Amino acid sequence: MHVDTFLRQIGEQLNLYPFRAIFEIDPSANFAAPSRVAFCRAFEAAMRMLACTCGCEALQQQGHEPECPYDRLLNKGRPPVFVLNYPGKSGLQNGRLTVGFTLIGDSIRYLPFVVLGLNEMQLRWKESKTSILRLLEVAAVCSHAPDGVRIFTREDGRLDLDSISPLAIEALEVDGSVSKIIVKFVYPVYMEHNGKISVIPEFSTLISGLWKRLAELLPTFLSSADIHDVPGFKEALERVRLVRMKLRWRANIQAGTDGSSKIGGIVGNATYAGALNPFLPLLRMGEWIGVDNGSWMDSGLIRVDRFT
């Protein structure tokens, strides 16, 4: 199996369901975006109340049941099948905050819990008695509608499940030859090379980290394979090089206190040049699921700008 076929098969098997949630921010908060930690804590508290099906007594005795929606989505010890991409102030425009999230594989059945959690989460500003955030709508990002199809509005209150479909691999591919991309490391990305922290994101290191992330989510017959053994993979990597970077290391000061196990990661931009087409679907998937071993709230977030 050639590298192009292998990576395409990955995209067909993964079943990504990306969404965008739009919130209105109360003027009492001066239209400022909440911190990532504050937002994630408020969402987790709402999910614990609304999505845990274990019962207090059972929970105290033996922990969460394997299929408890809360545990399946937010347990930091399990491979994250739910990823929240909180953009902070960069997602704020005209008093509205856009937050991305992704459900992977059969976790899509828990979408009603996620929407309910986003709708009911309480995030207060200083002494305010009401939440400064109000969920206005949720849109599903589909192959035929990259800007999103509205599936929930606050006014209507109903969730349209019929409009939801996984993001097809064709939506991640690009017509024409792509010879240069800029990868923006938006939220700290933790990468390793030969078992050591890497602050220089060589293309091979970036792809290896993304593959490790994907392998946790793929069916066994794919995740058990080593992408480095796929014919043409090594040669394809050698045709891409890092040509420019403007990066810095951002330490995670609150590591361990907000559920994060990462000590930090790189943020900034890196430019890669070469024969990039085989890897674009993989990189585009990384925009939605993250590219490192973070939890649901802190998977390394990237954005890819491509040039034909």
Side-chain angles (χ1 to χ4, degrees):
M1 184 185 300
H2 195 266
V3 60
D4 299 69
T5 306
F6 182 75
L7 294 179
R8 183 179 178 83
Q9 190 173 6
I10 288 174
E12 292 172 345
Q13 294 291 329
L14 193 56
N15 284 339
L16 296 182
Y17 297 87
F19 300 88
R20 293 190 182 98
I22 300 178
F23 294 85
E24 181 181 52
I25 298 184
D26 192 279
S28 65
N30 299 321
F31 298 109
S35 70
R36 180 187 62 84
V37 172
F39 186 95
C40 290
R41 283 178 175 169
F43 174 71
E44 185 170 18
M47 290 291 287
R48 188 184 303 115
M49 179 178 65
L50 299 168
C52 179
T53 57
C54 302
C56 295
E57 185 176 343
L59 188 58
Q60 292 175 356
Q61 293 178 358
Q62 59 190 21
H64 292 279
E65 297 174 356
E67 291 306 313
C68 167
Y70 169 79
D71 188 72
R72 187 69 190 96
L73 295 175
L74 304 188
N75 186 336
K76 303 174 184 69
R78 302 176 72 169
V81 293
F82 165 76
V83 176
L84 182 74
N85 292 328
Y86 183 69
K89 62 182 180 180
S90 66
L92 188 61
Q93 187 173 13
N94 299 324
R96 295 189 173 186
L97 177 68
T98 300
V99 177
F101 67 92
T102 306
L103 288 160
I104 303 160
D106 63 359
S107 68
I108 187 61
R109 67 183 187 270
Y110 299 129
L111 175 64
F113 289 104
V114 176
V115 175
L116 186 61
L118 293 170
N119 192 49
E120 297 296 327
M121 60 186 285
Q122 297 292 308
L123 204 161
R124 294 178 172 83
W125 174 260
K126 296 182 179 179
E127 303 301 323
S128 66
K129 295 182 179 180
T130 58
S131 178
I132 63 170
L133 290 181
R134 287 200 322 151
L135 180 65
L136 296 179
E137 64 180 60
V138 176
V141 179
C142 307
S143 304
H144 62 278
D147 292 330
V149 175
R150 191 178 297 167
I151 60 170
F152 173 86
T153 63
R154 187 178 188 88
E155 291 78 10
D156 183 64
R158 292 181 296 177
L159 184 60
D160 178 14
L161 298 176
D162 293 333
S163 299
I164 299 169
S165 60
L167 195 63
I169 185 64
E170 289 79 11
L172 304 176
E173 296 176 329
V174 178
D175 293 331
S177 176
V178 176
S179 59
K180 185 170 71 172
I181 60 172
I182 295 178
V183 176
K184 299 177 180 179
F185 298 89
V186 182
Y187 186 73
V189 175
Y190 181 90
M191 289 192 292
E192 292 184 352
H193 180 65
N194 293 332
K196 298 181 179 179
I197 297 175
S198 176
V199 295
I200 300 178
E202 295 291 350
F203 192 69
S204 58
T205 305
L206 175 62
I207 295 299
S208 294
L210 180 53
W211 169 250
K212 183 178 178 181
R213 171 78 177 94
L214 287 169
E216 296 180 315
L217 306 168
L218 291 167
T220 304
F221 76 95
L222 280 174
S223 62
S224 60
D226 188 344
I227 194 172
H228 297 85
D229 295 334
V230 176
F233 177 75
K234 181 179 179 181
E235 292 77 11
L237 277 181
E238 291 174 348
R239 289 193 286 269
V240 181
R241 65 191 187 283
L242 172 66
V243 296
R244 188 179 298 111
M245 62 181 180
K246 186 177 182 181
L247 303 162
R248 62 187 176 90
W249 177 268
R250 182 189 295 174
N252 186 1
I253 299 174
Q254 295 175 312
T257 63
D258 67 341
S260 172
S261 58
K262 298 196 303 186
I263 61 173
I266 57 172
V267 293
N269 300 330
T271 303
Y272 301 93
L276 286 150
N277 284 67
F279 301 102
L280 286 178
L282 204 61
L283 291 165
R284 294 287 305 282
M285 282 186 274
E287 292 184 299
W288 290 105
I289 66 171
V291 296
D292 63 17
N293 61 347
S295 68
W296 64 270
M297 66 170 69
D298 66 352
S299 289
L301 177 60
I302 64 170
R303 289 286 179 263
V304 181
D305 291 338
R306 58 186 183 273
F307 301 86
T308 302

